[in-house]
Amino acid sequence: MSLFFFFLLCFSISHALPPPRGFFLNCGSSSSTNLNEIDYTPDQEFISVGNTTTIKQKDLIPILSTLRYFPDKSSRKHCYNFPVAKTSKYLIRTTYYYGNFDGKNNPPVFDQIVGGTKWSVVNTSEDYAKGQSSYYEIIVGVPGKRLSVCLAKNAHTLSSSPFISALDVQSLEDTMYNSTDLGSYKLSLIARNSFGGDGEIISYPDDKYNRLWQPFLDQKHPTVTSRSRINPSNFWNIPPPEAFVEGFTASKGKPLELQWPPFPLLATKYYVALYFQDNRSPGPMSWRAFDVSVNGLSFLRKLNVSTNGVMVYSGQWPLSGQTQITLTPAKDAPIGPVINAGEVFQVLPLGGTTNIKDAIAMEDLLESIKKPPVDWSGDPCLPRANSWTGLTCSKEKISRVISLNLTNLGLSGSLPPSINKMTALKDLWLGKNKLTGPIPDLSPMTRLETLHLEDNQFTGAIPESLAKLPNLRTLSLKNNKLNGTIPSVLLQRKGLTIQASPENMPSTNKTGQIRVANS
């Protein structure tokens, strides 16, 4: 995927606005900083892992002068977690400036993940060679109340560490990009440009949603300047009026052919939005009419553009290789076509999610134990290569936890009652830790086959409810602080092997193991 970059950011300031809604993090920093009227705050409230460092380089803007990096080789992913509004919509921007922070002069290559979906590979090598930073954007829908943004090693990371300089999580309006079902897809930015200008990037406060509109020049096309401002509320995507100020045009009767984005694209589906405005003063002849085609296929016929502006879009447009946009004027059009701005996003299918009951149970377990695995953050099961340490999950789109093995990880704390919500679990192995408290009622976990709780500090009675697990064939309870003997209903279970300490065995059996054969 192609990247867009910025180094020293200088945005125009047009008017005061309330601060944008969301989270804006200066990663690795211990203090807040203001950039373009937005306060970027330290990131430690949203992540508990990783190391921080400072880039010792002159003339860096503050959000590029610090970073957080993740040297832990055993962790499957490293996640920022945000509390968000349920069924909300967000634009996420990750910013990276390597700055040779590790002394290797070789920027690491790694993955970035949103929720349970792999977003993209991060490779900043080309930008860093030019002395530039890199950024990526994605638009996501959030069905629940938590949003995670994660970094993870991949096969190309080798001995390097994933890192991040800044992270923006900007709230969007419900109307924006609403032609895409964000419950099934995410929109990963490929290009967002204002055409014809050669000046500064358009962003906040001109764009109150803090999107970045890069200027795009093409010497083959004359440019025009608009004499009137559009009303952003007339457009679903609420573009900034400044994106319509300049535009490309063509002579009367001539088509306008624009190669944009200026690089080849992977063969897949894209969200394409194009923005137009007649630059002349309102009047009887203040209109432009033309057909719009993309790579020779009709995108929209007989588009009539006035000074009020118009947006045309497709939520699922197939593109491959170099893209050419052609604007063909109507025969009776008094003036040639015009185009002012455009956005292209790759449409990413969601990678699935973890069953909500399993996810809640794992979150409860995370809160109940001390020193859990460092990668217990983000979606528990997905992406599958980056599931939480100790978990094995099913391969359905809505994944279930089918095995949990935390043997000998030095865990302390207790088991929450909600662990029994993981009803697809077949194997629960928690042996050789320092877990305390009672053994909760596990009877809803009817698929459970093996239960290892040995070598902990569990207390209380051995629950009779364990006899309600129809598929249980191995139960290990030895070396705990359990009271009383094994309930008779468990002793009568056919096909079950029980391991327990001598004090918990019936008086007729002090061997530490009972095996009841099938009849």
Side-chain angles (χ1 to χ4, degrees), residues 433-461:
N433 286 294
K434 299 177 182 179
L435 298 172
T436 59
I439 299 172
D441 176 13
L442 304 180
S443 58
M445 303 168 72
T446 55
R447 297 184 189 180
L448 199 63
E449 297 176 4
T450 63
L451 178 59
H452 283 266
L453 303 178
E454 72 275 4
D455 299 309
N456 278 284
Q457 299 174 21
F458 288 111
T459 56

Side-chain angles (χ1 to χ4, degrees), residues 415 435-440 451-464 466 475-487 490 498-505 510:
L415 289 185
L435 298 172
T436 59
I439 299 172
L451 178 59
H452 283 266
L453 303 178
E454 72 275 4
D455 299 309
N456 278 284
Q457 299 174 21
F458 288 111
T459 56
I462 298 172
E464 292 187 4
L466 293 174
L475 173 61
S476 182
L477 301 171
K478 64 183 181 181
N479 299 330
N480 278 285
K481 298 180 179 180
L482 297 167
N483 301 327
T485 57
I486 301 169
L490 269 175
I498 304 173
Q499 296 178 340
S501 298
E503 61 268 23
N504 299 125
M505 301 295 287
K510 296 297 183 181

Side-chain angles (χ1 to χ4, degrees), residues 218-239:
D218 188 333
Q219 299 298 332
K220 295 184 296 184
H221 301 295
T223 60
V224 293
T225 302
S226 178
R227 299 179 183 179
S228 58
R229 290 174 64 89
I230 61 98
N231 181 355
S233 63
N234 291 338
F235 299 79
W236 285 355
N237 290 350
I238 318 180

Side-chain angles (χ1 to χ4, degrees), residues 369-376 389-391 404-412 429-434 456:
I369 60 177
K370 297 178 181 178
K371 296 183 179 179
V374 295
D375 58 10
W376 276 30
T389 291
L391 268 67
L404 178 58
N405 185 352
L406 302 176
T407 303
N408 199 23
L409 292 184
L411 305 177
S412 60
W429 291 27
L430 302 173
K432 298 182 180 180
N433 286 294
K434 299 177 182 179
N456 278 284

Side-chain angles (χ1 to χ4, degrees), residues 189-259:
L189 180 68
I190 299 298
R192 182 187 295 113
N193 291 99
S194 58
F195 299 141
D198 59 356
E200 300 165 334
I201 298 171
I202 299 170
S203 186
Y204 185 85
D206 294 321
D207 185 324
K208 66 179 183 178
Y209 300 100
N210 196 33
R211 291 166 294 187
L212 304 180
W213 300 76
Q214 300 270 358
F216 182 82
L217 278 177
D218 188 333
Q219 299 298 332
K220 295 184 296 184
H221 301 295
T223 60
V224 293
T225 302
S226 178
R227 299 179 183 179
S228 58
R229 290 174 64 89
I230 61 98
N231 181 355
S233 63
N234 291 338
F235 299 79
W236 285 355
N237 290 350
I238 318 180
E242 288 71 18
F244 291 79
V245 171
E246 307 288 345
F248 294 138
T249 190
S251 302
K252 179 180 178 180
K254 301 292 184 181
L256 190 159
E257 297 180 341
L258 177 66
Q259 288 195 344

Side-chain angles (χ1 to χ4, degrees), residues 31-351:
S31 59
S32 299
T33 187
N34 186 278
L35 175 66
N36 192 36
E37 298 189 359
I38 296 176
D39 288 326
Y40 281 79
T41 61
D43 64 344
Q44 59 262 30
E45 180 182 347
F46 304 95
I47 193 164
S48 59
V49 297
N51 299 343
T52 63
T53 191
T54 300
I55 305 297
K56 301 185 184 303
Q57 183 176 328
K58 293 182 178 179
D59 301 324
L60 280 179
I61 60 172
I63 65 168
L64 301 185
S65 62
T66 62
L67 58 82
R68 183 176 293 272
Y69 65 100
F70 306 93
D72 191 324
K73 295 181 180 180
S74 64
S75 180
R76 297 181 182 180
K77 59 187 171 187
H78 321 273
C79 299
Y80 287 85
N81 292 286
F82 301 94
V84 295
K86 193 174 182 179
T87 65
S88 52
K89 186 181 299 184
Y90 287 86
L91 180 150
I92 299 169
R93 180 184 302 125
T94 51
T95 303
Y96 303 96
Y97 182 65
Y98 171 59
N100 197 26
F101 76 90
D102 55 4
K104 298 179 179 180
N105 204 33
N106 185 22
V109 178
F110 51 93
D111 292 339
Q112 53 185 356
I113 299 164
V114 176
T117 302
K118 179 182 173 181
W119 169 6
S120 70
V121 173
V122 175
N123 188 343
T124 66
S125 300
E126 183 178 345
D127 289 340
Y128 177 65
K130 299 175 183 177
Q132 298 163 338
S133 65
S134 310
Y135 74 85
Y136 299 73
E137 284 186 12
I138 193 167
I139 293 174
V140 303
V142 185
K145 296 182 179 181
R146 294 179 67 85
L147 169 64
S148 65
V149 181
C150 311
L151 308 179
K153 288 176 175 284
N154 59 28
H156 304 286
T157 311
L158 303 177
S159 62
S160 302
S161 301
F163 73 96
I164 187 168
S165 303
L167 176 55
D168 298 23
V169 179
Q170 164 71 59
S171 177
L172 299 179
E173 304 296 335
D174 290 341
T175 61
M176 300 172 71
Y177 308 99
N178 64 358
S179 65
T180 299
D181 176 10
L182 293 179
S184 301
Y185 302 94
K186 301 180 189 293
L187 297 177
S188 180
L189 180 68
I190 299 298
R192 182 187 295 113
N193 291 99
S194 58
F195 299 141
D198 59 356
E200 300 165 334
I201 298 171
I202 299 170
S203 186
Y204 185 85
D206 294 321
D207 185 324
K208 66 179 183 178
Y209 300 100
N210 196 33
R211 291 166 294 187
L212 304 180
W213 300 76
Q214 300 270 358
F216 182 82
L217 278 177
D218 188 333
Q219 299 298 332
K220 295 184 296 184
H221 301 295
T223 60
V224 293
T225 302
S226 178
R227 299 179 183 179
S228 58
R229 290 174 64 89
I230 61 98
N231 181 355
S233 63
N234 291 338
F235 299 79
W236 285 355
N237 290 350
I238 318 180
E242 288 71 18
F244 291 79
V245 171
E246 307 288 345
F248 294 138
T249 190
S251 302
K252 179 180 178 180
K254 301 292 184 181
L256 190 159
E257 297 180 341
L258 177 66
Q259 288 195 344
W260 177 84
F263 40 78
L265 301 179
L266 298 174
T268 186
K269 298 290 184 65
Y270 293 84
Y271 174 99
V272 181
L274 304 175
Y275 302 89
F276 309 87
Q277 183 193 23
D278 194 331
N279 62 295
R280 299 169 299 156
S281 299
M285 299 298 288
S286 184
W287 60 275
R288 298 175 187 260
F290 48 88
D291 295 338
V292 182
S293 63
V294 178
N295 290 345
L297 299 176
S298 178
F299 197 78
L300 190 71
R301 292 181 57 82
K302 298 180 181 179
L303 176 65
N304 193 335
V305 178
S306 71
T307 53
N308 292 327
V310 65
M311 178 188 88
V312 299
Y313 68 92
S314 172
Q316 295 268 352
W317 190 265
L319 295 176
S320 177
Q322 182 59 59
T323 303
Q324 178 165 296
I325 298 170
T326 303
L327 311 180
T328 305
K331 291 182 179 180
D332 59 345
I335 197 166
V338 67
I339 186 169
N340 299 87
E343 293 180 282
V344 176
F345 297 85
Q346 183 179 348
V347 180
L348 294 179
L350 263 64

